[in-house]
Amino acid sequence: MKAMLSSAVIMIALTGSTLACPLLSDKTVLQGGLLIGRAPAGSKVSLKGKAVRVSNGGHFLIGFGRDADPKTKLVALKRNGESIECTVNVTKRKYKLERIDGLLERQVKPRAEDIKRIMADNAAIARVRQLDTTGTDFTAKFEWPVNGRISGVFGSQRILNGRPKRPHNGVDIAAPEGTPVQAPASGLVVLVHPDMFYTGKTVMLDHGHGLTSVYVHMSIITVEVGQRVKSGDEIGRVGKTGRATGPHLHWGVSLFSTHLDPGLLVGRVHN
């Protein structure tokens, strides 16, 4: 098996037993974390009763959002009819309160004419997050897409120009404008947009099994839709397009519509 993501995961016990779950190799999981599992060939896997894609090699993904429940049931049904059942225990996190001032008022409280544009942007991103492809790029270790100061953390409650907004769904990395942004893992470029209302120049990558990543506020985009990129390939440059007060990269990761903490993929927890 390729090197596994260094995401935070949990010790899972077989139902009615103290044995570690044979489907998962990592030991801890936090809210916002991603687990990579491996089931016997031909198994059908479900989480909370919902089917999960399993690769030919038995790999599968399960993710836990910002406010994930403390316990959930994971089941693998083997070809011979036997089942493996595990209880996943998710560690609760405390999230910061972040205040950001100095934003254009129009980007905090959009005008009526902006709403149509925002809805089109959201629909394009949502279509990408519905992808369920067979690739397994997620089995390789993720790396930081750019080095810099962490200026915004996953899950934080944001107060923009004094108005409470939705929690932050990614990690912000401050870096000089024009700094190269690299793919943190291999994947397929599935969205390129030159000017979204909130996110400006935006790129999204598909890593397989519903795992996608997004790169926001860039000054330049250097890839095209349909292009295959490897870990470390340049996909754009740091900028401040869209809703931003200074040059930085917003990096987000989702398993379908569940937002995950990118920091956990590279082994760093920001509380």
Side-chain angles (χ1 to χ4, degrees):
M1 186 189 300
K2 296 179 181 179
M4 305 301 287
L5 296 176
S6 52
S7 54
V9 293
I10 70 161
M11 179 66 73
I12 309 196
L14 285 171
T15 302
S17 169
T18 59
L19 297 176
C21 177
L23 301 173
L24 302 162
S25 61
D26 294 321
K27 296 180 179 179
T28 57
V29 70
L30 300 175
Q31 290 175 328
L34 179 74
L35 288 171
I36 300 179
R38 195 168 190 182
S43 296
K44 295 181 179 180
V45 176
S46 64
L47 183 72
K48 297 177 69 173
K50 184 177 180 180
V52 175
R53 175 182 285 278
V54 182
S55 73
N56 291 337
H59 293 101
F60 63 89
L61 291 176
I62 54 176
F64 303 89
R66 178 187 188 273
D67 302 308
D69 294 335
K71 292 183 182 293
T72 191
K73 187 177 181 180
L74 177 66
V75 177
L77 182 64
K78 298 165 65 174
R79 281 178 174 172
N80 62 6
E82 295 178 357
S83 66
I84 302 171
E85 298 187 8
C86 305
T87 298
V88 182
N89 301 300
V90 183
T91 301
K92 187 175 182 179
R93 295 171 65 178
K94 293 183 178 180
Y95 299 102
K96 291 183 177 180
L97 183 69
E98 291 185 339
R99 297 181 182 275
I100 300 176
D101 297 313
L103 292 166
L104 293 175
E105 188 64 15
R106 182 177 180 179
Q107 292 179 322
V108 177
K109 187 178 181 180
R111 300 171 185 170
E113 61 265 31
D114 299 323
I115 300 301
K116 185 175 180 180
R117 180 179 166 195
I118 293 168
M119 291 177 66
D121 293 346
N122 290 344
I125 292 172
R127 284 193 294 271
V128 169
R129 289 178 175 156
Q130 291 172 358
L131 294 174
D132 188 5
T133 57
T134 60
T136 56
D137 291 314
F138 57 80
T139 59
K141 186 180 184 297
F142 275 59
E143 304 290 346
W144 287 101
V146 67
N147 292 319
R149 178 179 60 86
I150 303 302
S151 57
V153 298
F154 174 84
S156 60
Q157 176 63 54
R158 293 203 143 180
I159 310 296
L160 306 182
N161 288 5
R163 292 188 179 92
K165 295 293 181 178
R166 293 178 180 177
H168 192 221
N169 289 323
V171 171
D172 289 342
I173 309 163
E177 188 163 359
T179 301
V181 176
Q182 300 175 331
S186 297
L188 182 69
V189 180
V190 287
L191 183 145
V192 169
H193 198 292
D195 187 26
M196 286 189 165
F197 183 82
Y198 286 128
T199 61
K201 296 185 186 298
T202 303
V203 169
M204 295 186 75
L205 304 180
D206 175 22
H207 305 286
H209 287 219
L211 188 70
T212 59
S213 55
V214 64
Y215 309 85
V216 166
H217 305 308
M218 292 192 289
S219 59
I220 298 173
I221 294 173
T222 56
V223 291
E224 299 177 348
V225 170
Q227 182 176 338
R228 177 86 182 157
V229 295
K230 296 180 181 178
S231 178
D233 286 351
E234 182 181 312
I235 60 174
R237 301 290 180 94
V238 171
K240 53 182 179 181
T241 56
R243 187 168 70 183
T245 57
H248 72 282
L249 177 73
H250 170 95
W251 175 30
V253 177
S254 298
L255 184 61
F256 298 108
S257 60
T258 299
H259 297 289
L260 306 174
D261 185 351
L264 297 180
L265 301 184
V266 291
R268 184 171 177 179
V269 181
H270 300 280
N271 288 325

